[in-house]
Amino acid sequence: MSNELKLYNSLSREKETFQPLKEGYVGMYVCGPTVYYDAHLGNCRTFISFDVIYRYLTHLGYRVRYVRNITDVGHLLDDGEDRMLKGARLEQLEPMEVAQKYTVGFHEMMRIFNVLPPSIEPRATGHIPEQIEMVQDILKNGYAYEVNGSVYFDTLKFMQQTGLYGTLSGRNVEELMAESRDNLKNQSEKRHPADFAIWMKASPEHIMRWRSPWSEGFPGWHLECSAMSTKYLGAEFDLHGGGNDLKFPHHENEVAQNFGSCQCKGARYWMHTNMLLLNGKKMSKSDGNTISPHELIAGDSAHVTKGYSPMVVRFFMLQTHYRSTLDLTDEALQAADKGFRRLMDGHKTLQSLQALPDAQPGALDAELLELMAGVADEMNDDFNTPKALARIFELVSRINALKGGQLSLDQVAPDTLDRLKQLFQEFIFGIFGLQNDDAADGDDGTLDGLMQLIIDIRAEARTRKDWGTSDKIRDALKALSLQLKDGKEGTSWGREV
RNA sequence: GGUCGCGUGGCCGAGUGGCUAGGCAAAGGUCUGCAAAACCUUGUACAGCGGUUCGAAUCCGCUCGCGACCUCCA
């Protein structure tokens, strides 16, 4: 396998070799949340996926500027009411108070799932001038028109003149163009159903409003991503990501706006994560088929039999490729729980292995090296985390066998063992972003010391063949969900799942 | 209705023409004072039907089932 990075580009619908615009640097934009409601697990999956991608690109040595926005204005509901305004009315809060509340909640959730903060996290409301400028540019280029203080993107004209519309989302342009004005219903300001607002005149009761050359109003939903990606990453940049459900119309319109404003191509590679399903259906706030991250962690939901730690959930998600749908079920989570524990135990065991200086590297050494190389190879193939994890689990088997004595360390070169330790550290924690739950308990080492004492006392009892005492200790610990593992080299312990 | 995608062993989930994915569960064995843990072994899996091919889970066609997008959604 080659060590060049390949990724699936939604634009071409093919895996392509990744070639950044500027060697050594990557500009990456991911559509962030709309902060008018609590983040749900689907959001988490997408941001965890891109977190791993961000981490891996960094691992490869790229200097990555990762921009992930916060949308706090412009997102319209079916009835045309601004989402921020809706939230404000329901809870009697200022719109920015709503945005702030859910932004904080979102950040907290990202922290819980160990998602790294992006390099820049721009807010739509903080970039009104940039958006107004973009509307002006689009108007100047003739791809928009003003009606009663609102400005609409002239999608029909754009389609006819550039032929660029629909490429990303695979729309049938003929069909889009064929739609008549009859489909417009009450939104009669638009000339064509495919047109979309880039500036909206605010109705009298609308709270969020800014002055513009056309009216006091607010920017259209799709505009902020075009404006902010251009501002921070340039007119053309490397990667743009987001959930699959944003492909149309959001991303398609983004591309149109970029080109319509400056003939800019925008992102060269588009990446889309697939949906998280619950009981075989898409998780969605609107139809109630949902479980919140808090509920999942606490086990406070009819969908799960117990709570799952954030790291188990993260691991669960990494066991599926980002472009596949993932069906969340209690059974699958239980399997992930145990698998995650096995991975963590394997890592712990590995770090305890001591190399033999006079080892004679043989077939085992070669096998380890091959498996290790495979981990990176899989990641280079469109960030295939499930396959990379499969390679790591194969390594875990070897590690356990080395510990258990079924395989011998005198066949492993000290350098190979060192590299293996380093690889586990880098991939499990640095790239997959997993954390050991035990460490997250706030354990300061007291427990470990206590356990060591108990293990020593039990070992003494065992040398006396005092099985009663030995078993009493073992059973009592088991009742506390602490498991003793007797091995050739002594006894170790861990938490039971 | 239109567009796109999916259907893999008990469960989850990789895999795109020949070569063991992996995790969980299950069975047998090794180890153990007994266990557990660990290790080893074990699954005639690719929705159905037909076709292409020396060879298909993988390509083509049809059928059935499911999902996503088309409207707010990561």
Side-chain angles (χ1 to χ4, degrees):
Chain A
M1 272 203 203
S2 77
N3 54 8
E4 59 182 18
L5 177 64
K6 296 206 164 162
L7 54 84
Y8 182 88
N9 190 347
S10 300
L11 269 178
S12 62
R13 288 152 211 266
E14 284 179 353
K15 276 187 201 169
E16 298 177 12
T17 299
F18 178 67
Q19 192 68 51
L21 277 166
K22 187 167 194 255
E23 191 55 44
Y25 293 82
V26 174
M28 169 168 156
Y29 189 95
V30 171
C31 290
T34 302
V35 283
Y36 75 113
Y37 203 79
D38 282 320
H40 76 148
L41 266 179
N43 295 61
C44 295
R45 183 190 184 197
T46 292
F47 300 131
I48 286 171
S49 296
F50 284 109
D51 184 52
V52 171
I53 288 166
Y54 172 45
R55 286 164 179 267
Y56 191 63
L57 289 169
T58 305
H59 167 82
L60 291 178
Y62 289 112
R63 248 184 84 185
V64 186
R65 179 177 291 168
Y66 176 20
V67 180
R68 190 188 64 209
N69 68 290
I70 296 274
T71 294
D72 53 2
V73 69
H75 221 152
L76 298 176
L77 295 169
D78 291 345
D79 57 4
E81 193 174 23
D82 188 287
R83 291 195 150 184
M84 292 294 95
L85 178 59
K86 171 114 176 176
R89 186 171 293 166
L90 286 173
E91 305 178 29
Q92 310 235 312
L93 295 167
E94 276 296 315
M96 284 310 283
E97 219 174 342
V98 176
Q100 177 69 9
K101 178 184 169 187
Y102 292 117
T103 300
V104 169
F106 170 69
H107 285 156
E108 172 67 5
M109 198 48 65
M110 291 297 99
R111 191 190 62 73
I112 286 173
F113 283 114
N114 200 28
V115 172
L116 294 173
S119 326
I120 301 176
E121 191 168 49
R123 289 173 172 239
T125 53
H127 297 74
I128 301 296
E130 288 86 348
Q131 296 183 72
I132 288 174
E133 273 177 43
M134 191 164 248
V135 173
Q136 286 172 320
D137 290 341
I138 295 172
L139 275 167
K140 205 187 309 165
N141 291 331
Y143 292 123
Y145 54 91
E146 184 197 340
V147 182
N148 300 330
S150 291
V151 183
Y152 294 94
F153 193 89
D154 196 338
T155 310
L156 183 62
K157 185 174 175 186
F158 184 79
M159 286 192 279
Q160 290 168 334
Q161 292 196 354
T162 67
L164 288 177
Y165 201 76
T167 320
L168 178 62
S169 59
R171 294 295 112 168
N172 184 335
V173 180
E174 304 295 316
E175 206 169 87
L176 276 175
M177 290 198 283
E179 289 186 72
S180 74
R181 284 206 59 174
D182 299 344
N183 302 346
L184 281 172
K185 297 173 189 166
N186 7 344
Q187 300 179 55
S188 52
E189 285 181 351
K190 294 205 287 189
R191 292 181 190 164
H192 188 271
D195 294 353
F196 55 93
I198 50 182
W199 186 265
M200 287 288 278
K201 180 183 179 176
S203 53
E205 68 274 17
H206 206 102
I207 307 171
M208 290 188 115
R209 51 172 70 214
W210 291 265
R211 269 190 222 125
S212 80
W214 314 282
S215 65
E216 236 184 54
F218 53 94
W221 169 37
H222 316 296
L223 196 62
E224 86 272 21
C225 288
S226 290
M228 296 189 292
S229 64
T230 303
K231 171 159 183 170
Y232 296 112
L233 299 174
E236 194 177 348
F237 58 97
D238 300 302
L239 281 175
H240 191 131
N244 217 307
D245 49 354
L246 291 182
K247 231 190 236 178
F248 189 88
H250 184 60
H251 290 157
E252 195 65 58
N253 290 353
E254 241 187 280
V255 174
Q257 287 164 345
N258 284 341
F259 198 83
S261 66
C262 63
Q263 315 265 306
C264 315
K265 290 180 188 158
R268 301 170 75 224
Y269 302 90
W270 283 82
M271 300 182 73
H272 290 98
T273 57
N274 216 321
M275 297 295 101
L276 177 67
L277 309 180
L278 177 63
N279 302 325
K281 297 224 163 139
K282 189 174 89 157
M283 273 212 195
S284 161
K285 290 178 280 237
S286 51
D287 63 15
N289 185 240
T290 183
I291 178 171
S292 77
H294 286 299
E295 289 165 345
L296 179 58
I297 292 165
D300 181 21
S301 163
H303 297 299
V304 291
T305 55
K306 57 173 262 197
Y308 295 93
S309 86
M311 286 305 112
V312 168
V313 175
R314 185 167 170 128
F315 173 79
F316 170 70
M317 290 177 173
L318 295 181
Q319 276 192 303
T320 303
H321 189 84
Y322 77 88
R323 281 193 288 116
S324 297
T325 53
L326 169 58
D327 194 2
L328 186 99
T329 62
D330 190 60
E331 216 178 354
L333 282 165
Q334 283 189 24
D337 203 347
K338 296 200 174 176
F340 175 67
R341 181 61 43 201
R342 179 174 161 82
L343 179 66
M344 284 299 143
D345 287 348
H347 169 260
K348 200 167 152 191
T349 301
L350 169 62
Q351 302 305 328
S352 74
L353 293 180
Q354 299 289 328
L356 302 176
D358 52 353
Q360 299 292 314
L364 174 61
D365 195 81
E367 189 191 16
L368 290 177
L369 290 172
E370 196 183 330
L371 283 169
M372 285 158 68
V375 176
D377 287 343
E378 303 299 0
M379 285 301 284
N380 284 333
D381 184 16
D382 197 24
F383 309 98
N384 199 325
T385 54
K387 283 190 88 174
L389 278 168
R391 294 292 85 73
I392 285 180
F393 271 110
E394 288 183 79
L395 285 163
V396 167
S397 290
R398 305 300 179 281
I399 289 162
N400 286 333
L402 285 167
K403 169 85 172 181
Q406 294 90 350
L407 292 174
S408 173
L409 271 166
D410 64 17
Q411 283 184 44
V412 182
D415 181 56
T416 302
L417 191 64
D418 279 349
R419 287 170 58 189
L420 183 57
K421 288 180 181 179
Q422 198 190 340
L423 178 126
F424 264 55
Q425 194 71 39
E426 280 176 359
F427 273 84
I428 295 174
F429 303 104
I431 294 167
F432 297 141
L434 297 168
Q435 292 171 316
N436 206 321
D437 283 343
D438 292 347
D441 284 347
D443 184 5
D444 56 3
T446 309
L447 181 61
D448 209 47
L450 275 171
M451 287 302 294
Q452 206 47 58
L453 174 67
I454 293 168
I455 286 168
D456 287 347
I457 291 170
R458 177 165 167 271
E460 284 166 22
R462 294 183 79 204
T463 34
R464 291 195 308 270
K465 296 195 190 300
D466 178 0
W467 309 127
T469 303
S470 170
D471 291 351
K472 182 179 175 184
I473 291 172
R474 185 214 282 162
D475 295 344
L477 289 173
K478 187 173 169 59
L480 296 170
S481 293
L482 295 168
Q483 183 182 47
L484 292 179
K485 301 169 186 178
D486 294 324
K488 275 206 163 61
E489 311 291 319
T491 303
S492 61
W493 67 280
R495 289 173 190 281
E496 277 192 336
V497 174

